Amino acid sequence: CLGQPTPTTTGVFSTIFVYLIALFISQLNLRFGIIRTRTHLPFSAPLILFSLHPFFLHMSPDFVALFFILLAFFPLLESHQRSYLQKYAYQSGILLAIASIFTIYVLFFIPLWWRVAAMMSRFSIKAVLSSIFGTLLVYWIVFALYVFADNIVGFTKPFYFFALFDIQQLPTLSVPMWGFLVSSSLFVIGFIIADYRYFSRD
């Protein structure tokens, strides 16, 4: 047993990740010219920000998640004015999925990534599917690891945050009621798909 990490160890790892975060923000600015003038602000601002409170001295999974989120910015900005976006969307989906392993709330960033990519270039449904495929690929590997470890509950537990209701407390409906519910839902979905071109014009 390795034992619990000491405060000194967590402080060292948090400091390393703070410097990595500052370095990657600076590289994003240098590579893509976000700030046109010469400045050290992208590197110094994160260092100052993460030095304002002792909370940031403790290593947490959020630091690792933020590291992969910053990595996902590289293919996102690289896709600017590119015609073939599937590769960049796939890479961003993988990096965001890895970040979400450490902090599950990162999954909320994936639709935001689609929106930003659509503003930067002509985003297509193929790029969306590539992003989803990259995300599912990471989670399929993680799911396989949990299956081999015989810990399915540990895999599903973080997703309880997204549940609007407890599946075990579903109302007991009769077969005709379920049939009416499913057929009504299919009818509404079919109506939306059939009139999509009119909705898109609006």
Side-chain angles (χ1 to χ4, degrees):
C1 180
L2 297 177
Q4 295 293 329
T6 62
T8 304
T9 305
T10 59
V12 169
F13 277 105
S14 64
T15 303
I16 292 173
F17 270 92
V18 166
Y19 273 98
L20 286 175
I21 289 167
L23 179 63
F24 273 84
I25 293 176
S26 177
Q27 289 300 314
L28 281 170
N29 179 61
L30 291 174
R31 182 170 179 177
F32 300 103
I34 299 173
I35 300 177
R36 299 295 181 180
T37 58
R38 184 179 178 87
T39 177
H40 294 288
L41 184 64
F43 183 79
S44 59
L47 297 180
I48 296 173
L49 177 65
F50 287 112
S51 302
L52 294 177
H53 198 276
F55 174 79
F56 298 114
L57 295 177
H58 301 283
M59 184 61 188
S60 69
D62 297 331
F63 280 117
V64 185
L66 181 57
F67 174 76
F68 284 102
I69 290 172
L70 290 175
L71 283 178
F73 269 105
F74 283 93
L76 175 68
L77 296 176
E78 191 72 32
S79 65
H80 180 62
Q81 298 297 329
R82 298 293 181 94
S83 57
Y84 186 76
L85 300 178
Q86 287 87 330
K87 178 180 71 173
Y88 305 105
Y90 177 74
Q91 294 172 352
S92 296
I94 288 179
L95 292 170
L96 290 176
I98 295 174
S100 67
I101 293 173
F102 297 94
T103 303
I104 193 65
Y105 310 110
V106 177
L107 291 177
F108 286 116
F109 285 131
I110 296 178
L112 181 63
W113 240 248
W114 299 340
R115 175 58 180 167
V116 174
M119 294 171 62
M120 294 176 59
S121 55
R122 295 185 62 184
F123 203 60
S124 62
I125 189 65
K126 292 182 180 179
V128 174
L129 294 177
S130 298
S131 176
I132 294 175
F133 178 74
T135 304
L136 293 178
L137 180 64
V138 173
Y139 272 94
W140 177 256
I141 296 172
V142 175
F143 175 73
L145 293 175
Y146 273 92
V147 168
F148 285 127
D150 196 18
N151 188 16
I152 304 297
V153 177
F155 177 81
T156 58
K157 187 176 181 180
F159 295 98
Y160 291 163
F161 172 79
F162 300 103
L164 299 177
F165 52 85
D166 190 358
I167 299 177
Q168 297 178 354
Q169 297 180 357
L170 282 174
T172 56
L173 302 178
S174 62
V175 175
M177 295 176 67
W178 276 112
F180 175 77
L181 182 63
V182 172
S183 60
S184 299
S185 301
L186 292 176
F187 176 77
V188 172
I189 294 172
F191 177 76
I192 293 174
I193 294 175
D195 288 348
Y196 172 75
R197 56 181 180 176
Y198 300 106
F199 291 155
S200 62
R201 289 176 183 175
D202 294 337

